[in-house]
Amino acid sequence: TYRHAKAIGGWGGAGVALEAAGVAAGAPGIVHGFPGEVVEGIGQLLAHHRVWDRFAPKP
């Protein structure tokens, strides 16, 4: 999911799972927090289909 630039959301212990997978909880396209916030954030991200900011070109 991360490598395909898809939105990822979770709450509770999801931050620990993300870190274990080598994904920073604050990375672009990652929504972590309270359930209502996550659902709203994921809805906004899904409107764009992918999170291209995750793979922004390096200068």
Side-chain angles (χ1 to χ4, degrees):
T1 301
Y2 184 83
R3 291 181 186 171
H4 288 272
K6 297 293 188 170
I8 300 172
W11 52 85
V16 175
L18 289 169
E19 293 293 332
V23 177
I30 308 291
V31 183
H32 181 252
F34 294 107
E37 296 169 346
V38 172
V39 171
E40 183 177 332
I42 289 292
Q44 292 172 4
L45 289 169
L46 289 176
H48 300 286
H49 185 62
R50 299 201 189 249
V51 184
W52 297 116
D53 292 342
R54 193 176 292 158
F55 304 108
K58 296 178 182 179

